[in-house]
Amino acid sequence: MPAIITENDVSQWDDETGVVYHFPKRYRALLQPDTEVIYYKGRIKDKAFASARLSPEPHYFGMARIAEVCIDKKSDKGDLYALIEGFISFEKAVLAKVEGAYLETIPSNRTSNYWRDGVRGISRSDYYAIIRLADLSATKLTAGEPAFAFDPLAFESANEGDKTNYFGTRYERNKILRLKAIAIHGLSCKACGFNFEKVYGEYAKGFIHVHHLIPISAYGEETAVNPQTDLVTLCANCHAVVHKNRDVTLSMEQLKEMLKR
Ligand SMILES: [Zn+2]
Ligand SMILES: [Zn+2]
């Protein structure tokens, strides 16, 4: 069953449109790997966000697919997050209400509280009705635009892999992998526990290096990187030590062993 996922203009989560979506565990059954989703925004609350939205009215603005669902280890309520793939942003808003009728079929027993749910299962016919109105013929495929500036050096040192290629075609892909790695592994160093925000405060919030456990040069041209198993978050010091010798990349075990002394 396809699902609607609501994105709020202001959120407590580090969600990135088309990349990562956090949700409470009560929606677990609705958001499974391979679920097709449509992104929704409710009516605008703060006019400051007007330019970041396709419409101030409740509307749909993109479609995607759930790749993977993970447990958010930072949540004590058992919250989850979904890794999103294949995000396509609509060229223009598809309004939730067309000629006085909602595109989503509201069950008769839910009329009073239907819109309270941020995640809503919908029928395949409702799903296609929304997509048809999105007029995707005019839409180009995008991978989602993360909100913060991306520093390729913070993702992986350039001596791994081909430099010219690295800063060109891999840029967009790495930006998304970086966000997924942080969503999975968190913002503290996996070797020593260092956290940039804790030590340096607000200014360093969100900063961390993302390290490839397998050097990029060992990959073929378009090998899929699994952010869960192939990437790890490291502080700048630990990352520098891992790559101290250009020809040898230390394993996490070797690094942790050194830290024990
Ligand atoms: Zn560290
Ligand atoms: Zn590295």
Side-chain angles (χ1 to χ4, degrees), residues 176-192:
I176 292 159
L177 282 171
R178 175 181 160 77
L179 289 165
K180 288 182 177 175
I182 290 170
I184 293 163
H185 303 292
L187 285 163
S188 297
C189 176
K190 276 286 181 252
C192 74

mmCIF file of all heavy atoms in Angstrom, residues 176-192:
data_model
loop_
_atom_site.group_PDB
_atom_site.id
_atom_site.type_symbol
_atom_site.label_atom_id
_atom_site.label_comp_id
_atom_site.label_asym_id
_atom_site.label_seq_id
_atom_site.Cartn_x
_atom_site.Cartn_y
_atom_site.Cartn_z
ATOM 1 N N ILE A 176 24.624 12.384 -0.550
ATOM 2 C CA ILE A 176 23.520 11.569 -0.046
ATOM 3 C C ILE A 176 24.056 10.453 0.852
ATOM 4 O O ILE A 176 23.506 10.186 1.916
ATOM 5 C CB ILE A 176 22.694 11.011 -1.220
ATOM 6 C CG1 ILE A 176 21.983 12.185 -1.899
ATOM 7 C CG2 ILE A 176 21.690 9.966 -0.764
ATOM 8 C CD1 ILE A 176 21.558 11.895 -3.295
ATOM 9 N N LEU A 177 25.146 9.840 0.433
ATOM 10 C CA LEU A 177 25.748 8.785 1.264
ATOM 11 C C LEU A 177 26.179 9.341 2.611
ATOM 12 O O LEU A 177 26.041 8.690 3.640
ATOM 13 C CB LEU A 177 26.955 8.167 0.544
ATOM 14 C CG LEU A 177 26.619 7.174 -0.563
ATOM 15 C CD1 LEU A 177 27.871 6.810 -1.334
ATOM 16 C CD2 LEU A 177 25.966 5.928 0.030
ATOM 17 N N ARG A 178 26.701 10.544 2.592
ATOM 18 C CA ARG A 178 27.143 11.174 3.831
ATOM 19 C C ARG A 178 25.957 11.346 4.796
ATOM 20 O O ARG A 178 26.044 11.014 5.980
ATOM 21 C CB ARG A 178 27.779 12.534 3.526
ATOM 22 C CG ARG A 178 28.154 13.318 4.765
ATOM 23 C CD ARG A 178 28.765 14.670 4.414
ATOM 24 N NE ARG A 178 28.661 15.560 5.559
ATOM 25 C CZ ARG A 178 29.463 15.476 6.610
ATOM 26 N NH1 ARG A 178 30.435 14.586 6.667
ATOM 27 N NH2 ARG A 178 29.292 16.277 7.642
ATOM 28 N N LEU A 179 24.842 11.836 4.268
ATOM 29 C CA LEU A 179 23.658 12.028 5.108
ATOM 30 C C LEU A 179 23.150 10.701 5.662
ATOM 31 O O LEU A 179 22.732 10.602 6.815
ATOM 32 C CB LEU A 179 22.554 12.714 4.301
ATOM 33 C CG LEU A 179 22.820 14.180 3.967
ATOM 34 C CD1 LEU A 179 21.881 14.655 2.878
ATOM 35 C CD2 LEU A 179 22.666 15.037 5.217
ATOM 36 N N LYS A 180 23.200 9.659 4.815
ATOM 37 C CA LYS A 180 22.734 8.359 5.285
ATOM 38 C C LYS A 180 23.676 7.807 6.347
ATOM 39 O O LYS A 180 23.234 7.235 7.347
ATOM 40 C CB LYS A 180 22.629 7.390 4.100
ATOM 41 C CG LYS A 180 21.467 7.718 3.175
ATOM 42 C CD LYS A 180 21.331 6.728 2.045
ATOM 43 C CE LYS A 180 20.107 7.076 1.192
ATOM 44 N NZ LYS A 180 20.005 6.221 0.013
ATOM 45 N N ALA A 181 24.979 7.969 6.149
ATOM 46 C CA ALA A 181 25.949 7.472 7.123
ATOM 47 C C ALA A 181 25.742 8.145 8.473
ATOM 48 O O ALA A 181 25.774 7.493 9.523
ATOM 49 C CB ALA A 181 27.371 7.717 6.615
ATOM 50 N N ILE A 182 25.486 9.450 8.450
ATOM 51 C CA ILE A 182 25.277 10.177 9.704
ATOM 52 C C ILE A 182 23.970 9.748 10.358
ATOM 53 O O ILE A 182 23.896 9.588 11.578
ATOM 54 C CB ILE A 182 25.336 11.702 9.462
ATOM 55 C CG1 ILE A 182 26.778 12.103 9.125
ATOM 56 C CG2 ILE A 182 24.815 12.477 10.669
ATOM 57 C CD1 ILE A 182 26.945 13.522 8.642
ATOM 58 N N ALA A 183 22.946 9.518 9.535
ATOM 59 C CA ALA A 183 21.662 9.063 10.088
ATOM 60 C C ALA A 183 21.827 7.717 10.783
ATOM 61 O O ALA A 183 21.214 7.444 11.808
ATOM 62 C CB ALA A 183 20.631 8.947 8.973
ATOM 63 N N ILE A 184 22.685 6.857 10.236
ATOM 64 C CA ILE A 184 22.865 5.515 10.791
ATOM 65 C C ILE A 184 23.852 5.527 11.964
ATOM 66 O O ILE A 184 23.582 4.971 13.017
ATOM 67 C CB ILE A 184 23.378 4.544 9.696
ATOM 68 C CG1 ILE A 184 22.304 4.340 8.626
ATOM 69 C CG2 ILE A 184 23.785 3.193 10.311
ATOM 70 C CD1 ILE A 184 22.836 3.741 7.332
ATOM 71 N N HIS A 185 24.992 6.181 11.770
ATOM 72 C CA HIS A 185 26.078 6.055 12.742
ATOM 73 C C HIS A 185 26.150 7.207 13.754
ATOM 74 O O HIS A 185 26.874 7.111 14.742
ATOM 75 C CB HIS A 185 27.419 5.933 12.012
ATOM 76 C CG HIS A 185 27.472 4.776 11.058
ATOM 77 N ND1 HIS A 185 27.452 3.468 11.497
ATOM 78 C CD2 HIS A 185 27.502 4.716 9.702
ATOM 79 C CE1 HIS A 185 27.489 2.653 10.429
ATOM 80 N NE2 HIS A 185 27.511 3.395 9.342
ATOM 81 N N GLY A 186 25.454 8.287 13.487
ATOM 82 C CA GLY A 186 25.434 9.388 14.432
ATOM 83 C C GLY A 186 26.593 10.351 14.225
ATOM 84 O O GLY A 186 27.421 10.178 13.333
ATOM 85 N N LEU A 187 26.639 11.377 15.063
ATOM 86 C CA LEU A 187 27.614 12.455 14.890
ATOM 87 C C LEU A 187 28.802 12.345 15.839
ATOM 88 O O LEU A 187 29.595 13.262 15.947
ATOM 89 C CB LEU A 187 26.916 13.813 15.059
ATOM 90 C CG LEU A 187 26.052 14.255 13.870
ATOM 91 C CD1 LEU A 187 25.100 15.369 14.263
ATOM 92 C CD2 LEU A 187 26.914 14.672 12.689
ATOM 93 N N SER A 188 28.914 11.221 16.559
ATOM 94 C CA SER A 188 30.075 11.024 17.430
ATOM 95 C C SER A 188 31.044 10.069 16.754
ATOM 96 O O SER A 188 30.641 9.166 16.022
ATOM 97 C CB SER A 188 29.643 10.438 18.777
ATOM 98 O OG SER A 188 28.796 11.350 19.444
ATOM 99 N N CYS A 189 32.339 10.257 17.039
ATOM 100 C CA CYS A 189 33.373 9.411 16.453
ATOM 101 C C CYS A 189 33.184 7.967 16.901
ATOM 102 O O CYS A 189 33.040 7.685 18.083
ATOM 103 C CB CYS A 189 34.746 9.921 16.872
ATOM 104 S SG CYS A 189 36.092 8.867 16.292
ATOM 105 N N LYS A 190 33.175 7.054 15.938
ATOM 106 C CA LYS A 190 32.946 5.642 16.246
ATOM 107 C C LYS A 190 34.158 5.002 16.934
ATOM 108 O O LYS A 190 34.049 3.917 17.509
ATOM 109 C CB LYS A 190 32.630 4.869 14.966
ATOM 110 C CG LYS A 190 31.171 4.958 14.586
ATOM 111 C CD LYS A 190 30.329 4.095 15.519
ATOM 112 C CE LYS A 190 28.864 4.125 15.164
ATOM 113 N NZ LYS A 190 28.041 4.861 16.076
ATOM 114 N N ALA A 191 35.313 5.655 16.888
ATOM 115 C CA ALA A 191 36.498 5.078 17.519
ATOM 116 C C ALA A 191 36.691 5.621 18.933
ATOM 117 O O ALA A 191 36.908 4.861 19.866
ATOM 118 C CB ALA A 191 37.725 5.350 16.667
ATOM 119 N N CYS A 192 36.582 6.952 19.092
ATOM 120 C CA CYS A 192 36.907 7.543 20.405
ATOM 121 C C CYS A 192 35.724 8.241 21.066
ATOM 122 O O CYS A 192 35.818 8.668 22.206
ATOM 123 C CB CYS A 192 38.077 8.518 20.264
ATOM 124 S SG CYS A 192 37.605 10.066 19.466
#
